[in-house]
Amino acid sequence: MLLNGAQILIEVLAKQGVNTVFGYPGGAVLNIYDELYKSSDRIKHVITAHEQGAVHAADGYARASGKTGVVIATSGPGATNLITGIANAYLDSVPMVAITGNVPTSMLGKDSFQEVDIVDITQSIVKHNFIVRDIKKLEKTLNEAFLIASSGRKGPVLVDIPKNIQAEVCEYLNQEVTLKKNKKKPVKNDFKRAIEIIKQSKKPYIYCGGGIIAGNAEKEVFELSKKISAPIGFSMMGLSAVPSDYELNLGMCGMHGRYVASKAQSEADLVIAVGVRFSDRATGNTEKYREKCQVIHIDIDETEIDKNVKTKMGLCGDVKQILSEIIDKVPNFINPDWIDEVKEYKKISAYQEDNNFNPKNIIETVSNYMNDDTVVATDVGQHQMWTVQHYKFKNTRTLLTSGGLGTMGYGFGAAIGGCFANNKRKTVFFTSDGSFGMNLNEFATAVTQKLPLVIVVLNNGVLGMVRQWQGMFYDKRFSETTLERKTDFPMLAKAFGAKGFKVENLGELNEVLKNLKDDGPCLIDCIIGKDEKVLPMIPPGGSIKDIVIK
Amino acid sequence: MKFTIGVIVSNSFGVLNRVTAVYSKRGCNIDSLSVGETENQEYSRITILSEADDYLIKQIFKQLEKLHDVREAFLFDDKNSFSREHVFIKLSVNSKSKSKIIVKVNDFGGKIIDFGNDFVSFEISNTHDKISEIINKFKKHEILEVSRSGLTAISYGTENMLRVED
C-alpha cells in the first residue's frame, strides 16, 4: 500500500495502540495535521494552549494509563517548547514519543524559518532520538521509537520528521521491528545469595520507587512485605503503588518524607531497594546512608546499581520477575520486635490533629471526596510535598507528579492527560499560586474539553518552598519570593469559562466539594498562611540525625 | 587511572556526539579517540582513551552500553589487548640536523615519508604513551606539525572479541 509520510505516521500510531495524542499544529506539521483531520475517528487529537501543556499532558497520560504518551509539535519554537516536558519525562522514566516537524531536508542547515536542530538540542534528555531523512526509513523508525520508549527502563524518544518526508510516498509494509541491542542476561545465580541475606535480616525494609509502577510489580512488593514482615517506604515516584492504609506502608521517606519512613530505613539492617535510583532528595547523605544496613538493589537499569549508593548486591532485570522469584524462595517469617519498633516511630509526627484551615486538613478533606481511582496531579513546591504526605492514595498510577526534574507548571498539562487516560473521570490537581501562574493557560484546554478537573490552589502569596529555604538557610532574606500579585483566581477561572470559588475555612471547602459537578473544571482557591512549612525536613546532604520535625 | 573503551556503534547520524556526551556529562576529558568503519558497513568502531577513577570508569562503561546506538562495548587493558597509535611528525631541519634525525626516526621504527631542504616528515606507530615520549624527544628540534591518529586496540585471542553477532 502506497502511503505518504503523514499517513504512515497515522498507521504506525494506530498499530501501536495510540488513540489519543496531544499537540499543537504549525507550518512544518501541516501534512500530519491534514491526516489527523481525516483520521479523527481513529485518533483523538487534543489541542492544548501551549506545546508545554501538550508534552506534560502526554506525560500525565502515560503515567496514568501505563501506555506510551504521544505529543506532536511543529518545528523551531514548537519543538523547543517541548524541551522541559521531555526532560521531565526523561528524569522520571516516562514512556513518551515526541513527534516534531522540521523544514524540508533541502532547507536543513541553512537557518531556515523555524528551523532548529531539535535532535541535537534534546540529545541529553531523551532515551534516544531520530531525524528521518529518507521516507523508506520512516515506518521502521517510528515503530522503533515506540519500542525504545516502552522497553527496559522507559523514557522519551523524539522523532524529527522534515516536511518533505511527511509528503513523500512509499510502500507501507506493516512491519514488525525488534531492537538489535544485545539483551542483558537477567539475573545470574544471585538469587541464592539474596535469599540468604534476606533470611539473616532481623530488620528488613523495602524501599520502593517508580520502577515498581513502571514494572507492574505493585502486587509483588505487597506480597514480599507481608511474607518477610518488612515495612515499605517509598520515594515520591513509587507512592501510589501500595494502598496508603496498609499497616506496613510507611509512606514517603527522604527530605520531606514521614519520620517513620526515614527513621525505620535508617534503623533497618537490610534495605531491599526496588526500582529506585537513590536520588539525593530521597537518600540524603549517601555515605551515612549505609552506616547500619546493607542494600540489595533490584533495578532494570544496570547503570543504577552502585551509582549513588554502594550496594551489598545488585539484581538487574525485570523487577516483577525478580520479586516473584524471591517471594517463591524466601520463607515466611515475622519480626514482632522490629514491627513494634516501627510502630513506636509512627507515633512521632510533624503534624497535629486539629480543625485549622491548613494544608494537611485541606488535602485530607479533598481526599475524602475522591474515589480510589481518582487521578491526582500536582505542581511543584510545598503543596506537592503536602499532597504526597497527606493524600490517601489507594490505587496505583493515581499520582502524577514531577519527581526528578521538579517542574513548576507540570501539573495542569499532566492533569489534562491523566483525565483523558481515566476516561474523563474526575481528576484532582493540587497546585499553588506560584506554580499555577506558570501554565494556567491550559485552563482553556480543560474548559474546551469539558474536563472534570478539581483544581485546588493552595494560595499563600509566596513561593513557599524557596521561602522556607530562605527562612532556614538564608537568615530570612526573602529575596523575590513574596509575590504581591493581585490575581483573583476564581475570577480568572470564570474568565476562562470555568467555575471558581474562594474558601477560607474547612466548612466552605466541604460545601464546595459536596456540590461538585463533573461537567467541567472547577477551581478552589484556598487561602493559607505564608509561613506554613513542609515538615519534617532532612536538610540537603543530611541524614536522619539532622531531621527537623517541628 | 587511564582507561580505554572500545565500542561498536550503528553507523548513523550523531552517534559520535552521543558517545562523547557520556564522557563530557561526567567531566571526563577524552585523551584520544579514533573512529573507523568495520567489516560490516552498518557498524563503526570507536576507541576512546580517557582518565577517571574506578567509580567513573564503571559508570561510563555501563552508560555507554546503555546507549541505543551502542551494540557492544569492551574495556581494554594491557593484559587483554594490544593497542597502537600512529603519528605523523613534521620537523624543521637544517643540513646539520637532518641526518641525525633520519637515524633517530629509524631507531624508533619510523619511516620518512616526505622531505625538503628545510623539513622532514615521518610516521611512527607505537603505544599511546610511547608516541608521547617520542614527540617529547623531538622537541629539541623545531616541530612544525604533529598529527596523531588516536589510539586503536584489539583484544588478544578470540575470547573477548569486540564484534556484533547477528
Side-chain angles (χ1 to χ4, degrees), chain A residues 59-131:
Chain A
D59 174 309
Y61 181 87
R63 291 186 206 226
S65 67
K67 290 163 69 175
T68 298
V70 178
V71 60
I72 302 172
T74 192
S75 64
T80 54
N81 279 342
L82 299 181
I83 290 171
T84 302
I86 293 172
N88 192 78
Y90 181 66
L91 268 284
D92 287 348
S93 307
V94 175
M96 176 190 288
V97 171
I99 306 288
T100 49
N102 211 332
V103 300
T105 44
S106 61
M107 304 284 282
L108 283 169
K110 297 179 180 173
D111 298 327
S112 309
F113 177 66
Q114 293 194 328
E115 180 196 354
V116 295
D117 185 352
I118 196 65
V119 167
D120 189 48
I121 293 172
T122 55
Q123 187 202 289
S124 64
I125 51 164
V126 290
K127 193 170 168 194
H128 194 65
N129 58 18
F130 301 91
I131 177 166

Side-chain angles (χ1 to χ4, degrees), chain A residues 208-395:
Chain A
C208 293
I212 292 295
I213 297 170
N216 302 315
E218 297 94 338
K219 199 176 100 236
E220 285 73 15
V221 165
F222 191 55
E223 275 178 29
L224 181 64
S225 160
K226 284 197 287 191
K227 196 159 186 189
I228 64 171
S229 60
I232 317 176
F234 294 89
S235 73
M236 190 169 65
M237 293 297 301
L239 261 189
S240 66
V242 172
S244 52
D245 52 8
Y246 169 51
E247 57 172 350
L248 292 182
N249 179 348
L250 307 185
M252 187 172 79
C253 52
M255 181 176 277
H256 291 301
R258 292 170 66 192
Y259 175 79
V260 58
S262 300
K263 179 67 178 168
Q265 190 171 15
S266 74
E267 294 299 327
D269 61 4
L270 170 68
V271 170
I272 305 169
V274 198
V276 277
R277 59 188 178 85
F278 293 98
S279 106
D280 54 302
R281 283 297 189 265
T283 313
N285 186 320
T286 50
E287 291 304 313
K288 287 185 188 159
Y289 186 82
R290 292 171 53 248
E291 272 173 3
K292 287 186 189 159
C293 71
Q294 39 193 358
V295 177
I296 298 177
H297 193 175
I298 305 170
D299 203 280
I300 195 157
D301 182 356
E302 205 185 358
T303 65
E304 290 301 339
I305 314 280
D306 292 331
K307 186 175 94 177
N308 292 339
V309 164
K310 190 99 184 91
T311 56
K312 177 84 175 172
M313 67 176 300
L315 295 172
C316 179
D318 182 274
V319 290
K320 190 182 177 79
Q321 280 175 17
I322 294 172
L323 286 175
S324 304
E325 204 146 332
I326 291 176
I327 293 164
D328 268 358
K329 290 179 179 148
V330 83
N332 270 309
F333 55 85
I334 46 167
N335 290 309
D337 291 349
W338 174 226
I339 298 302
D340 287 347
E341 188 181 334
V342 172
K343 275 184 190 157
E344 284 303 307
Y345 302 143
K346 248 188 187 169
K347 291 176 187 163
I348 301 171
S349 166
Y351 296 94
Q352 293 169 344
E353 296 300 325
D354 56 34
N355 288 318
N356 294 339
F357 194 60
N358 57 32
K360 174 180 184 283
N361 288 339
I362 293 170
I363 288 158
E364 284 180 353
T365 304
V366 174
S367 185
N368 291 338
Y369 285 88
M370 300 303 150
N371 304 318
D372 290 358
D373 66 352
T374 301
V375 170
V376 178
T378 79
D379 265 316
V380 165
Q382 286 185 311
H383 74 274
Q384 175 190 29
M385 293 299 119
W386 288 320
T387 303
V388 296
Q389 286 176 340
H390 305 303
Y391 192 90
K392 309 274 180 265
F393 293 99
K394 297 277 170 48
N395 288 8

Side-chain angles (χ1 to χ4, degrees), chain A residues 90 119-120 123 126-131 133 144 148 153 179-182 184 301-308, chain B residues 13-14 17-19 21 25 42-43 55 58-59 62-72 163-166:
Chain A
Y90 181 66
V119 167
D120 189 48
Q123 187 202 289
V126 290
K127 193 170 168 194
H128 194 65
N129 58 18
F130 301 91
I131 177 166
R133 289 167 179 264
E144 243 176 55
I148 295 168
R153 180 175 181 172
L179 293 185
K180 278 192 173 172
K181 203 142 173 60
N182 294 350
K184 279 266 138 207
D301 182 356
E302 205 185 358
T303 65
E304 290 301 339
I305 314 280
D306 292 331
K307 186 175 94 177
N308 292 339
Chain B
F13 308 114
N17 260 351
R18 295 179 207 272
V19 168
K25 183 180 174 184
E42 275 186 54
Y43 303 111
Y55 164 79
K58 276 186 198 141
Q59 262 301 308
K62 288 197 278 188
Q63 294 287 352
L64 283 172
E65 276 194 311
K66 196 168 127 178
L67 289 179
H68 178 68
D69 280 330
V70 170
R71 289 292 310 275
E72 290 289 341
R163 64 199 293 263
V164 174
E165 291 179 30
D166 278 313

Side-chain angles (χ1 to χ4, degrees), chain A residues 430-450:
Chain A
F430 287 102
T431 183
S432 63
D433 49 317
S435 278
F436 193 57
M438 287 209 170
N439 281 334
L440 56 80
N441 49 4
E442 294 308 335
F443 236 137
T445 314
V447 169
T448 309
Q449 299 291 338
K450 300 190 180 73

